[in-house]
């Protein structure tokens, strides 16, 4: 895990306008995602489309921390779950506990805010550690939160959690319906994705990557390393929190099972399968895992399903430590490759071709 | 020149860039530094010599806060910085380079220097991308130019040659408005040409910027410094002008005779 590859980037020197840098790949992908509801059944729209986008966002929050910051977190589903519990407690539920019935535009932002601060708190604990120890300590936090939620009835309603959570009706649209819900997920995912893509080359993005490369040097050029790392956790919490709201609307419920160790490792698997080189990776991984979860279970049965996921994970990691993104780099069609890469705004090709000048 | 410096050194007024009193550092049972007393005037350029393991790098680490001394006091321009966080010391105008390059492998040369400029400015945090008109970017470009890395500004740091990495180390220390710089063996492993470049860069620094340079190569050390401190076994062994040090028989015996690989 310590040799996760780092996202390549263009130089900091500005040049391209935003329009050129959007690129053909993004336009095609965007177009497909926009017209997807026209060709997909309700099942494919929600269970595959919506769900992949939600999982992709949670995995994206991990990619931000791991790919740019070198901090592998197993607590991202915990952060999403924090937002989910806020929705259950302050919004409406039919479990007969809490459910203050606040409007969505109050509990929504509140959920994201609380999740982001929970994330910053976890980060503040975890930044004292490095590498494998960060994984261990976030796993410990995730496990502790799971057991606490399961045993605490006063706040978390214990084992059953909360049922009857639903997306609101706004602007005369019922956001629970497949098409609106899909677009809601898409909009959130796009905002998060674009923010990460842009932010990767912002001053803060460079700072985070520099901290990943060499903390000691960062201190001796005047940066408060701890503060910057905790801020990265806070940002990741915003993304995971927003995804957490969508997740409970998707499931209609939240319980300790949502934030158990299994789901938290699932997020890591998604991020690694997709690849941590580029923010598109987590979404690719989410689509693959969601498709496998949906269809492989029918074919091989639930028992063997985890074995299958495990084997796919192993194969991908062994063939390509950069996940699917890395596979693409390796087996890409030669001619189209440049376009695809530049369209996604990466500079892998540039770095390779640049070589060393002496 | 040398006498001026020596005179201001002895006055011990607030004009001193650096004052060390009884600074010591232990690693478990090992005493790497003990009882170091040092006064360095603002703008003074000092060389620190000493054999391998004499404690030179450890001295730097305690001054910059990479780790704290286990005893003693360190003052930077009159302010007690003994236990101040490393980044806070840097923000006060202290800079350093490392004996073993500490760089950002996956950033470009220009990005690295840009961050160094941002790190010591008040605007070190921004969620926006750097713009061409950014003051820190402009400064970064002029520093990159000063250390002769113009042609490599867009190159990933990890792919630079050893000599270029050493130049980048120096570039990172020049960011912002340094008042005092600690150079840890900047010439180690450089070719004769690169060495000449280095000496030129050091001699071209504005006069108000003082520094300490650790240097095994006496030729280099004597061409860039006006006063020399000798370390041995974690203590300050002797101090003097370059001529005094060169002709000191005890120094000859310990340092020049002792060999250092
Ligand atoms: N972090 C550390 N932990 C334990 N011992 C250390 C540490 N840093 C330095 N030492 C020890 O302190 C002593 C002084 O080391 P230091 O690196 O300061 O020497 P130096 O004068 O810089 O030598 P060189 O010329 O080889 O760079 C050595 O014995 C070294 O092994
Ligand atoms: Mg040393």
């Amino acid at each position: 895990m310590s040799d996760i590859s780092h996202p390549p980037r263009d130089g900091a020197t500005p040049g391209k306008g935003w329009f050129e840098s959007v690129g053909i790949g993004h336009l095609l992908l965007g177009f497909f995602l926009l017209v997807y509801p026209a060709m997909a059944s309700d099942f494919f729209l929600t269970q595959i489309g919506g769900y992949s986008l939600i999982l992709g966002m949670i995995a994206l929050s991990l990619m931000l921390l791991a790919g740019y910051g070198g901090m592998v977190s197993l607590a991202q589903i915990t952060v999403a779950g924090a937002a989910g519990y806020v929705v259950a407690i302050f919004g409406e539920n039919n479990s007969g506990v809490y459910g203050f019935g606040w409007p969505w535009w109050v509990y929504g932002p509140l959920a994201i805010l609380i999740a982001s601060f929970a994330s910053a708190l976890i980060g503040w604990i975890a930044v004292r550690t490095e590498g494998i120890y960060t994984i261990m300590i976030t796993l410990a936090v995730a496990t502790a939160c799971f057991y606490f939620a399961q045993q605490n009835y006063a706040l978390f309603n214990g084992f059953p959690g909360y049922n009857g959570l639903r997306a609101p009706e706004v602007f005369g649209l019922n956001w629970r319906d497949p098409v609106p819900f899909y677009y809601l997920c898409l909009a959130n995912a796009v905002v998060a994705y674009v923010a990460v893509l842009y932010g990767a080359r912002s001053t803060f993005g460079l700072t985070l990557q520099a901290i990943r490369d060499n903390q000691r040097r960062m201190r001796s050029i005047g940066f408060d390393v701890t503060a910057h790392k905790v801020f990265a956790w806070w940002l990741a919490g915003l993304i995971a929190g927003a995804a957490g709201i969508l997740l409970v609307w998707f499931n209609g419920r939240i319980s300790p099972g949502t934030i158990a160790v299994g789901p938290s490792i699932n997020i890591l698997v998604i991020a690694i399968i997709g690849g941590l080189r580029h923010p598109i990776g987590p979404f690719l991984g989410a689509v693959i895992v969601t498709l496998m979860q949906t269809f492989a279970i029918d074919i091989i049965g639930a028992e063997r399903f985890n074995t299958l996921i495990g084997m796919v994970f192993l194969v991908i990691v062994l063939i390509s430590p950069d996940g699917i993104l890395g596979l693409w780099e390796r087996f890409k069609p030669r001619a189209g490759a440049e376009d695809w890469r530049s369209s996604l705004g990466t500079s892998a090709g540039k770095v390779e071709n640049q070589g060393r000048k002496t | 020149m040398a006498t001026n410096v020596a005179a201001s050194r002895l006055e011990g007024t607030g004009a001193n860039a650096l004052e060390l009193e009884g600074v010591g550092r232990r690693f478990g049972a090992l005493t790497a530094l003990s009882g170091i007393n040092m006064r360095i005037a603002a703008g003074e350029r000092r060389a620190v010599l000493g054999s391998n393991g004499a404690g030179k790098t450890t001295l730097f680490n305690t001054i910059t806060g990479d780790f704290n001394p286990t005893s003693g006091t360190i003052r930077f321009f009159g302010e007690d910085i003994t236990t101040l966080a490393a980044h806070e010391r840097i923000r006060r105008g202290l800079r350093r380079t490392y004996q073993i390059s500490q760089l950002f492998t996956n950033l470009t040369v220009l990005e690295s220097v840009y961050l160094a400029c941002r790190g010591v400015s008040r605007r070190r945090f921004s969620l926006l991308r750097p713009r061409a008109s950014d003051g820190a970017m402009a400064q970064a470009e002029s520093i990159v130019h000063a250390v002769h890395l113009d042609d490599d500004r867009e190159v990933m740091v990890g792919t630079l040659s050893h000599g270029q990495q050493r130049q980048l180390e120096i570039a990172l220390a020049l960011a912002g408005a340094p008042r005092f710089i600690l150079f840890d063996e900047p010439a180690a492993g450089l070719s004769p040409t690169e060495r000449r470049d280095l000496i030129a860069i050091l001699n071209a620094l504005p006069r108000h910027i003082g520094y300490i340079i650790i240097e095994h190569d006496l030729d280099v050390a004597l061409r860039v410094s006006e006063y020399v401190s000798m370390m041995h076994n974690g203590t300050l062994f002797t101090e003097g002008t370059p001529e005094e040090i060169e002709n000191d028989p005890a120094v000859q015996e310990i340092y020049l005779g002792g060999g250092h690989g």
Side-chain angles (χ1 to χ4, degrees):
Chain A
M1 207 61 60
S2 57
D3 62 341
I4 34 172
S5 63
H6 305 136
R9 298 168 351 274
D10 288 333
T13 20
K16 287 186 286 185
W18 69 269
F19 189 74
E20 298 101 278
S21 59
V22 165
I24 191 78
H26 274 141
L27 289 179
L28 287 177
L29 181 65
F31 179 73
F32 169 77
L33 290 172
L34 275 179
V35 302
Y36 178 67
M39 42 188 155
S41 65
D42 282 358
F43 176 82
F44 264 85
L45 207 49
T46 311
Q47 303 296 322
I48 307 292
Y51 192 45
S52 296
L53 290 166
I54 295 169
L55 288 183
M57 278 177 76
I58 304 178
L60 177 67
S61 76
L62 168 57
M63 182 271 166
L64 191 167
L65 291 174
Y68 298 118
M71 303 175 278
V72 179
S73 162
L74 276 174
Q76 294 318 103
I77 195 79
T78 311
V79 173
Y85 273 108
V86 172
V87 170
I89 291 169
F90 292 95
E92 279 170 28
N93 68 65
N94 59 16
S95 297
V97 187
Y98 299 115
F100 298 147
W102 292 9
W104 65 272
W105 47 269
V106 178
Y107 72 68
L110 181 70
I112 295 178
L113 207 65
I114 289 183
S116 64
F117 281 103
S119 179
L121 182 67
I122 296 173
W124 184 71
I125 297 168
V127 294
R128 286 136 214 278
T129 61
E130 259 174 69
I132 188 82
Y133 298 102
T134 308
I135 304 181
M136 297 311 291
I137 203 160
T138 51
L139 178 62
V141 168
T143 313
C145 288
F146 164 71
Y147 281 113
F148 184 74
Q150 195 170 50
Q151 282 152 18
N152 177 286
Y153 279 79
L155 195 57
F156 293 92
N157 200 28
F159 181 75
Y162 295 94
N163 290 314
L165 315 176
R166 57 182 74 212
E169 284 180 35
V170 186
F171 309 130
L173 272 177
N174 187 349
W175 291 91
R176 271 194 98 190
D177 291 343
V179 174
F181 187 71
Y182 168 80
Y183 280 119
L184 182 65
C185 293
L186 182 60
N188 274 278
V190 166
V191 168
Y193 173 78
V194 170
V196 172
L197 201 55
Y198 174 88
R201 280 148 66 204
S202 69
T203 297
F204 175 74
L206 293 175
T207 306
L208 190 58
Q209 291 164 77
I211 288 173
R212 173 199 65 203
D213 282 1
N214 198 327
Q215 300 191 32
R216 186 177 184 191
R217 172 47 95 177
M218 276 310 263
R219 288 196 188 92
S220 62
I221 58 174
F223 283 93
D224 184 336
V225 166
T226 306
H228 277 83
K229 279 180 156 183
V230 171
F231 185 75
W233 280 83
W234 185 77
L235 287 180
L238 292 180
I239 298 174
I245 299 177
L246 297 171
L247 184 66
V248 294
W249 284 347
F250 172 85
N251 285 328
R253 62 193 303 270
I254 180 150
S255 68
T258 312
I259 58 168
V261 173
S264 85
I265 290 177
N266 199 30
I267 296 297
L268 180 65
V269 169
I270 287 173
I272 303 275
I273 286 184
L276 296 169
R277 289 170 65 90
H278 190 277
I280 199 71
F283 291 99
L284 288 177
V287 170
I288 290 167
V289 169
T290 305
L291 283 173
M292 281 173 52
Q293 263 171 359
T294 312
F295 296 106
I297 283 188
D298 290 343
I299 301 168
I300 62 165
E303 293 294 298
R304 301 214 189 101
F305 173 69
N306 282 333
T307 318
L308 180 72
I309 284 267
M311 277 164 55
V312 169
F313 180 75
L314 261 185
V315 167
I316 287 185
V317 169
L318 284 179
I319 300 180
S320 156
D322 292 332
I324 300 284
L325 285 179
L327 279 185
W328 176 267
E329 292 284 316
R330 190 172 309 188
F331 301 113
K332 68 208 160 196
R334 268 285 148 211
E338 283 316 312
D339 296 347
W340 186 83
R341 270 186 303 202
S342 52
S343 73
L344 283 181
T346 72
S347 61
K350 212 167 120 190
V351 177
E352 280 161 24
N353 300 339
Q354 206 159 31
R356 189 171 107 199
K357 294 175 201 157
T358 33
Chain B
M1 171 68 74
T3 45
N4 277 345
V5 170
S8 68
R9 215 172 50 79
L10 293 175
E11 280 166 25
T13 59
N16 284 327
L18 210 51
E19 290 173 9
L20 276 66
E21 271 170 36
V23 169
R25 170 75 205 195
R26 305 171 59 89
F27 295 104
L30 176 84
T31 304
L33 272 187
S34 71
I36 302 285
N37 296 307
M38 237 182 179
R39 281 223 157 92
I40 302 181
E44 181 181 342
R45 297 170 173 197
R46 173 85 61 111
V48 170
L49 307 184
S51 48
N52 289 116
K56 307 181 294 296
T57 300
T58 305
L59 177 68
F60 274 19
N61 284 334
T62 58
I63 295 173
T64 57
D66 281 51
F67 46 69
N68 288 336
T70 38
S71 60
T73 319
I74 300 170
R75 271 188 293 277
F76 185 61
F77 287 94
E79 180 188 8
D80 187 339
I81 59 162
T82 314
T83 55
L84 206 62
H87 61 264
E88 291 288 353
R89 305 183 194 205
I90 301 302
R91 292 174 190 180
R92 282 161 172 72
L94 185 64
R95 299 285 186 278
R96 79 169 294 177
T97 72
Y98 288 91
Q99 184 172 2
I100 298 163
S101 296
Q102 304 285 333
L103 300 169
F104 313 122
T105 328
N106 297 287
L107 262 58
T108 68
V109 169
L110 189 59
E111 285 168 349
S112 303
V113 183
Y114 165 76
L115 278 184
C117 295
R118 271 295 178 111
V120 291
S121 80
R122 231 170 267 127
R123 298 181 53 239
R124 64 183 65 83
F125 174 83
S126 167
L127 285 172
L128 299 179
R129 289 187 179 177
R131 303 165 66 93
S133 57
D134 196 312
M137 190 58 86
Q139 203 203 8
E141 280 174 13
S142 75
I143 291 175
V144 166
H145 176 73
V147 299
H148 314 305
L149 284 173
D150 286 292
D151 293 343
D152 304 286
R153 40 190 261 171
E154 303 296 340
V155 173
M156 290 288 160
V157 171
T159 65
L160 292 176
S161 70
H162 174 78
Q164 290 169 323
Q165 294 200 353
R166 298 309 288 167
Q167 278 159 290
L168 181 54
E169 270 284 323
I170 292 171
L172 295 183
L174 299 181
R179 294 201 282 175
F180 200 84
I181 311 180
L182 307 175
F183 293 106
D184 198 345
E185 302 200 22
L190 295 190
S191 70
T193 331
E194 289 169 333
R195 247 161 227 253
R196 230 169 295 132
D197 277 353
L198 172 72
I199 292 170
I201 290 171
L202 291 181
N203 285 329
L205 286 178
R207 259 326 304 186
H208 71 274
I209 301 180
Y211 58 72
I212 305 180
I213 179 169
I214 298 175
E215 184 48 64
H216 278 305
D217 185 334
L218 213 53
D219 278 346
V220 174
L222 301 186
R223 286 171 65 183
V224 295
S225 60
E226 49 223 16
Y227 207 73
V228 179
S229 298
M230 281 287 311
M231 288 186 69
H232 188 60
N233 283 341
T235 59
L236 261 189
F237 171 70
T238 177
E239 296 185 326
T241 62
E243 299 78 44
E244 287 166 4
I245 291 295
E246 257 189 315
N247 301 324
D248 186 329
V251 170
Q252 302 271 351
E253 187 177 323
I254 286 179
Y255 184 68
L256 305 174
H260 51 271

